[in-house]
Amino acid sequence: MAKTFGERIADVLIEDGLLLPSQLEEVMGIQKQQGGRIVKILTSKGFVTDQDMVISIGRCLDVPHLNLPKVHPDEEVAALIPKEIARAYKLAPVCKLANKLFVAMADPMNVLALDDLRQRTKLEIVPMIATEKSIDDALSGVNTGGMAMAQVMQDAADETDGLESIQENRDHLDLDKLRDQGEDAPAVKVVNLILVQALKEKASDIHIEPFEKTLKLRYRVDGNLLEASSPPKSLQLPIASRIKILSRLDIAERRLPQDGRFRIRIAGKEIDLRISFLPTIYGEKIVIRLLDKSALSGSVATLGLDERTMSIFKNAIDAPHGMILLTGPTGSGKTTTLYSVLQELNNPEYNIVTVEDPVEYQLIGINQVAVRPEIGLTFANALRSILRQDPDIVMIGEIRDQETADIAVKAALTGHQVLSTLHTNDAAGAISRLDDMGIEPFLIASSVLLTCAQRLVRRICSNCKEEFVPEPDVFEKLGIPELIGETFYRGAGCERCKGRGYAGRAAILEILPVTEPVRRLIVKRASASVIKNQAVQEGMKTLRMAGIDKAREGITTLEEVLRVTSEDH
């Protein structure tokens, strides 16, 4: 059965990484119950922005997308189509070249509109696609670029010219004044703008950093920190107070670090925000981590593993007991992958308990414990209590010490499935780390089912992906001189990816199953390199090999693989 236009658009959105299969299922269910167009439901639910939707529709129809706010048509061109006709058909004239009239349309498939324009203007009509709002604003004479962040920041600075600054070295603070400043219109406006802009940029973190005369704002997008228009220095305290009020933190305490969290709902998405305040010599540095539940894949199938590796990974997940360890540096997506595994295992038949520091995503149906060392609730103490709660599956945020490692290994040996993370560079290093922590090799060999190393690489923007042949030195550095001259992919840079050539990130994984030969090496206390070589002989793909596969598939670039992996990988 042929797919409808809406289903084809949804496929393009999923392919571009802008829509999750679970979100499409929800939309299909709404359409079945209430009717309506898939495209309309996707934007009304906030799953896809209007801008991303028109770009994807343009790709599907092979119609160029136009950023209408940046276009200023001549008066002669604008006069070719009466405004009442333009409003009725939701279109706007753009430019005229020879006998061709380029027209921005909300619906470039509107054949009646195209025929009518052709007859009225006696010109060949070339349709382009733009958002309905940008067309409405263009016809109303409004510049739809939206108020730039720099302009909002400037307006806020103007509004706060007379705002009294409270010196950092004062012992006594006027709490009422601080609270009022936190609720002040400029502070509220700027904090809201910062959060909305972070979501538009698909940022994972927001950094607000105080310096002697300036306040710096940066967003972490696809792993890289990017500078943004910064708020005025006069708003430093009001912004901090506003965020503390939202996080229910002590607005008077500025000498000690504070951590908090709150939740917001923007564009139909529920976002958890984790807040960290750190006192510096020029005030408090604020870092906000944005945790978007819709980013959880809900399935290990979306990890992009090859068939053999996926089979090994699934077998380990489906095992009734044993330990699965994920390794990698901070920010490599280990915890997100574990949450995806938990989502897949989440079933009323299982008692699933986690112990984390802190709890990043709050999941329905899973009992989550946050460690609090200041009152004695450590990983080890929490884990002891959890094992008395008759769990089937236990997730430990991180194994940091010998005591936690010992309890986790014994839990895996006594019929529990244990998921956890370790800070090592590769999969084989997890075995050595447990040994270094004092766990007996025979216990490691008996309890560990699989270790996995993970990194995140930036995805090539699907909107401006192009073929090219990389320089020979890239192949030499990656140790694949045999591929010199082969065609790979890169992003040329476009409006959707803001000229970066990348949009989103993908995981590359090195998965080491503890087979019988590997088990024997563990018992003999073989080094991590020997265990790794054995796993490679058995068919394991190293991080670098997995990354090169992703580059050949056009998901990432060889330069990205080189950036996140080393020769040892």
Side-chain angles (χ1 to χ4, degrees):
M1 185 177 172
K3 289 190 174 183
T4 65
F5 176 70
E7 289 170 337
R8 283 163 49 211
I9 294 297
D11 287 344
V12 171
L13 289 165
I14 290 172
E15 181 188 324
D16 290 353
L18 299 169
L19 181 68
L20 296 172
S22 58
Q23 291 173 328
L24 177 58
E25 282 179 25
E26 183 179 335
V27 167
M28 297 294 279
I30 292 170
Q31 188 195 41
K32 195 172 180 181
Q33 290 178 354
Q34 304 172 9
R37 295 167 57 207
I38 290 176
V39 168
K40 196 72 176 171
I41 300 170
L42 283 169
T43 52
S44 65
K45 288 286 289 181
F47 291 150
V48 180
T49 64
D50 290 338
Q51 189 76 358
D52 284 338
M53 180 61 79
V54 297
I55 292 173
S56 297
I57 291 174
R59 274 190 63 207
C60 205
L61 296 176
D62 199 22
V63 173
H65 160 255
L66 182 69
N67 188 6
L68 199 52
K70 294 185 178 179
V71 177
H72 302 283
D74 295 335
E75 288 183 13
E76 290 181 15
V77 174
L80 288 171
I81 303 173
K83 282 200 174 178
E84 59 273 14
I85 299 297
R87 284 196 177 94
Y89 288 136
K90 297 193 183 300
L91 53 85
V94 177
C95 66
K96 179 177 173 287
L97 295 175
N99 67 331
K100 292 182 178 179
L101 178 62
F102 291 79
V103 179
M105 304 179 69
D107 180 8
M109 295 173 67
N110 189 336
V111 179
L112 290 174
L114 293 171
D115 286 343
D116 191 1
L117 293 182
R118 205 173 289 118
Q119 289 178 11
R120 284 174 182 276
T121 62
K122 308 301 181 190
L123 296 170
E124 182 184 340
I125 306 300
V126 181
M128 307 176 83
I129 190 166
T131 65
E132 189 173 318
K133 184 179 184 305
S134 68
I135 291 170
D136 288 342
D137 287 344
L139 294 173
S140 304
V142 178
N143 181 355
T144 61
M147 190 180 285
M149 179 178 276
Q151 183 60 48
V152 174
M153 295 301 186
Q154 184 57 51
D155 290 349
D158 294 342
E159 286 185 54
T160 56
D161 274 346
L163 192 66
E164 183 183 344
S165 177
I166 300 173
Q167 297 300 316
E168 293 296 319
N169 59 1
R170 281 178 60 177
D171 294 327
H172 302 289
L173 297 174
D174 186 335
L175 291 188
D176 291 334
K177 184 172 288 187
L178 268 181
R179 191 170 285 106
D180 289 344
Q181 287 186 2
E183 299 286 7
D184 230 16
V188 172
K189 189 188 297 181
V190 169
V191 170
N192 289 350
L193 178 74
I194 289 170
L195 296 177
V196 170
Q197 190 68 21
L199 291 171
K200 282 184 180 176
E201 295 281 352
K202 296 183 170 66
S204 59
D205 300 87
I206 303 167
H207 290 244
I208 303 171
E209 302 161 310
F211 294 96
E212 185 177 8
K213 295 180 180 177
T214 59
L215 194 61
K216 184 184 284 187
L217 172 65
R218 295 192 290 174
Y219 295 112
R220 189 175 293 281
V221 181
D222 296 337
N224 292 350
L225 277 172
L226 306 174
E227 283 202 44
S229 299
S230 298
K233 179 73 174 175
S234 59
L235 277 180
Q236 179 177 322
L237 275 175
I239 286 172
S241 298
R242 173 64 180 166
I243 295 170
K244 285 180 181 178
I245 288 166
L246 291 171
S247 312
R248 297 183 181 178
L249 296 176
D250 183 356
I251 62 172
E253 181 56 77
R254 292 179 295 144
R255 300 163 302 169
L256 296 172
Q258 291 192 74
D259 296 312
R261 68 189 305 155
F262 64 94
R263 185 177 295 171
I264 58 173
R265 190 173 184 83
I266 295 181
K269 288 184 177 180
E270 200 169 76
I271 312 291
D272 281 327
L273 295 102
R274 229 172 58 205
I275 318 298
S276 173
F277 282 83
L278 179 71
T280 71
I281 57 171
Y282 295 118
E284 291 173 298
K285 180 182 188 299
I286 308 166
V287 174
I288 303 173
R289 171 153 290 184
L290 293 92
L291 303 167
D292 182 359
K293 283 186 187 176
S294 65
L296 291 177
S297 66
S299 170
V300 295
T302 58
L303 293 175
L305 302 175
D306 62 83
E307 194 173 331
R308 177 188 174 275
T309 308
M310 176 58 74
S311 174
I312 291 168
F313 198 53
K314 285 281 287 179
N315 287 341
I317 291 170
D318 294 337
H321 54 81
M323 185 183 290
I324 297 172
L325 294 171
L326 262 75
T327 72
T330 301
S332 60
K334 304 184 299 294
T335 307
T336 303
T337 298
L338 278 186
Y339 274 116
S340 295
V341 172
L342 284 179
Q343 290 271 69
E344 182 148 309
L345 293 171
N346 196 355
N347 186 309
E349 295 177 7
Y350 298 133
N351 177 19
I352 304 176
V353 189
T354 74
V355 52
E356 306 166 64
D357 182 22
V359 173
E360 291 201 2
Y361 295 95
Q362 294 171 8
L363 304 176
I364 296 170
I366 293 176
N367 304 284
Q368 296 172 274
V369 178
V371 300
R372 295 181 62 190
E374 70 276 10
I375 60 170
L377 185 59
T378 61
F379 273 110
N381 290 339
L383 199 48
R384 282 196 194 89
S385 297
I386 285 169
L387 293 176
R388 292 193 288 271
Q389 291 273 318
D390 185 32
D392 297 295
I393 300 164
V394 178
M395 195 269 266
I396 306 165
E398 184 186 343
I399 294 177
R400 298 176 180 172
D401 52 56
Q402 191 272 337
E403 191 178 9
T404 306
D406 185 55
I407 300 168
V409 165
K410 286 174 180 171
L413 289 171
T414 54
H416 304 88
Q417 188 179 52
V418 179
L419 312 172
S420 190
T421 69
L422 276 172
H423 280 289
T424 62
N425 288 327
D426 58 9
I431 306 293
S432 301
R433 177 59 55 85
L434 288 176
D435 193 358
D436 293 343
M437 285 181 172
I439 307 301
E440 291 294 335
F442 74 92
L443 291 176
I444 300 171
S446 303
S447 61
V448 178
L449 298 173
L450 176 145
T451 64
C452 172
Q454 179 168 320
R455 299 291 187 279
L456 292 176
V457 290
R458 290 180 291 174
R459 284 180 178 272
I460 298 171
C461 173
S462 57
N463 195 50
C464 59
K465 185 193 290 188
E466 63 178 18
E467 293 184 346
F468 85 117
V469 178
E471 294 296 322
D473 67 317
V474 176
F475 294 100
E476 296 285 356
K477 288 175 182 174
L478 284 168
I480 47 173
E482 67 277 7
L483 297 183
I484 289 177
E486 276 200 23
T487 299
F488 282 78
Y489 301 88
R490 67 181 174 191
C494 66
E495 182 188 333
R496 178 181 280 180
C497 64
K498 295 182 171 56
R500 293 190 283 264
Y502 296 100
R505 289 191 287 179
I508 55 173
L509 293 100
E510 171 183 289
I511 291 179
L512 190 158
V514 179
T515 59
E516 198 52 46
V518 170
R519 196 168 279 118
R520 287 197 292 270
L521 289 174
I522 294 171
V523 172
K524 291 178 183 175
R525 277 204 163 97
S527 67
S529 59
V530 171
I531 292 172
K532 183 173 188 172
N533 289 338
Q534 175 62 37
V536 170
Q537 287 176 27
E538 293 176 8
M540 180 187 85
K541 288 188 176 181
T542 64
L543 280 168
R544 181 159 282 186
M545 290 160 68
I548 291 167
D549 283 349
K550 285 276 195 290
R552 298 183 89 162
E553 292 168 27
I555 292 170
T556 190
T557 62
L558 288 177
E559 288 79 7
E560 268 297 281
V561 177
L562 189 60
R563 183 179 70 86
V564 303
T565 64
S566 66
E567 289 181 22
D568 296 336
H569 298 153

